[in-house]
């Protein structure tokens, strides 16, 4: 079984109720050949899932490791699920940087998400300094080992490789650099998990219509986690089409 193909949109802290119209515009791009998941700000999860656009799933951008309790401002995985989310992004580099999330915290959140029947999109990626220092593969292996819990399977876990220096910058790694990291991720997952060969691996960082075809042709790239270019259907639709055709 080949890994699923997934085009995931990360709206970050962008969008409002009016932006939900983008889903109607995207509806025509739905293709049985790949999954589409949009991860809007938490307040939009329920209105978005309530639109029930066939072929478009909805995800959160974070969840707490605890099931409930005194954690002001946080959201439990089961609450995301209750609001209609099927997925949750965990360990995005912006959360690691802005909120000091560690690999162990990301792993604990992933366990909670799986207990709530959410599919996790777990992010890893090196900084520019780490790449320049020749540490990329070691950093990726370390983040994977620490952030992906033992309960991960090809059904409940998706990995996103997002070089920090490529996010929102318009810069992307070379094809060889992406291939090298994805091969390492695949090898690490295959060594640790019985179905590691079947886990979907996404590339993220300045994916756009103009580079999607090329990126999706790289070995072990099963889709993309897209920020800026996921906000408007006219930008995201060609990326979905490129993935469906890949
Ligand atoms: P970008 O963001 O596509 O805007 O670079 C990707 C991400 O952070 O998931």
């Amino acid at each position: 079984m080949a890994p699923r193909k997934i085009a995931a949109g990360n709206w970050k802290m962008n969008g409002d109720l009016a932006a939900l119209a983008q889903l109607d515009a995207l509806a025509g791009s739905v293709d049985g050949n790949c999954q589409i998941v949009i991860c809007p700000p938490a307040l939009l999860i329920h209105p978005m899932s309530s639109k029930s656009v066939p072929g478009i799933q909805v995800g959160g951008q974070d969840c707490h490791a605890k099931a409930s309790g005194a954690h002001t401002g946080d959201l439990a995985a089961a609450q995301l699920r209750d609001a209609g989310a099927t997925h949750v992004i965990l360990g995005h580099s912006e959360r690691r940087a802005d909120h000091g999330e560690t690999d162990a915290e990301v792993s604990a959140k992933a366990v909670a998400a799986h207990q709530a029947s959410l599919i996790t999109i777990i992010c890893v990626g090196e900084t520019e300094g780490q790449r320049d220092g020749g540490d990329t593969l070691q950093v990726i292996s370390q983040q994977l080992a620490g952030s992906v819990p033992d309960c991960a399977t090809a059904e409940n876990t998706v990995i996103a490789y997002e070089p920090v220096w490529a996010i929102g910058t318009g810069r992307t790694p070379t094809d060889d650099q992406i291939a090298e990291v994805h091969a390492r991720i695949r090898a690490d997952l295959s060594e640790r998990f019985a179905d590691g060969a079947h886990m979907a691996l996404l590339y993220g960082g300045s994916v756009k219509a103009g580079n999607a075809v090329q990126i999706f042709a790289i070995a072990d790239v099963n889709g993309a986690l897209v920020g800026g270019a996921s906000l408007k259907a006219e930008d995201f639709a060609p990326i979905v089409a490129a993935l469906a055709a890949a």
Side-chain angles (χ1 to χ4, degrees):
M1 182 191 70
R4 283 166 286 174
K5 294 201 274 186
I6 304 170
N10 175 9
W11 282 14
K12 309 190 180 184
M13 201 171 68
N14 300 295
D16 52 17
L17 288 169
L20 298 182
Q22 295 302 323
L23 262 69
D24 302 314
L26 196 60
S29 305
V30 171
D31 185 309
N33 210 12
C34 74
Q35 296 184 353
I36 301 175
V37 185
I38 304 291
C39 303
L43 283 172
L44 298 181
I45 290 173
H46 189 248
M48 188 177 274
S49 67
S50 299
K51 282 175 77 78
S52 299
V53 180
I56 301 183
Q57 295 174 290
V58 182
Q61 299 175 7
D62 176 50
C63 71
H64 199 278
K66 294 267 166 59
S68 65
H71 301 287
T72 302
D74 281 312
L75 290 169
Q79 293 173 318
L80 296 180
R81 182 79 203 173
D82 188 47
T86 52
H87 293 65
V88 63
I89 298 170
L90 293 175
H92 189 281
S93 65
E94 287 152 15
R95 292 214 51 95
R96 291 178 188 261
D98 293 353
H99 301 275
E101 283 186 15
T102 63
D103 290 337
E105 281 162 353
V106 174
S107 178
K109 289 176 178 209
V111 171
H114 294 160
Q115 279 166 356
S117 300
L118 291 174
I119 295 169
T120 52
I121 302 174
I122 300 176
C123 304
V124 295
E126 81 286 4
T127 63
E128 189 157 30
Q130 289 166 333
R131 177 163 282 280
D132 291 347
D135 298 328
T136 298
L137 295 180
Q138 189 198 323
V139 166
I140 298 299
S141 282
Q142 198 175 324
Q143 287 181 342
L144 268 185
S147 306
V148 180
D150 291 337
C151 59
T153 67
E155 289 299 314
N156 67 19
T157 302
V158 175
I159 305 296
Y161 167 52
E162 298 210 309
V164 178
W165 52 273
I167 294 175
T169 60
R171 297 166 58 203
T172 51
T174 63
D175 293 1
D176 286 349
Q177 287 171 330
I178 296 175
E180 182 184 40
V181 175
H182 278 242
R184 168 62 78 102
I185 295 173
R186 179 67 74 209
D188 285 3
L189 294 174
S190 298
E191 194 176 290
R192 181 168 164 209
F193 298 102
D195 58 359
H198 305 301
M199 288 184 183
L201 309 188
L202 314 184
Y203 167 78
S206 297
V207 175
K208 50 184 193 266
N211 59 22
V213 171
Q214 187 177 341
I215 289 171
F216 295 146
I218 300 170
D220 275 318
V221 174
N222 311 119
L225 179 55
V226 184
S230 72
L231 296 173
K232 291 210 179 96
E234 66 192 66
D235 296 327
F236 198 47
I239 296 172
V240 173
L243 183 60

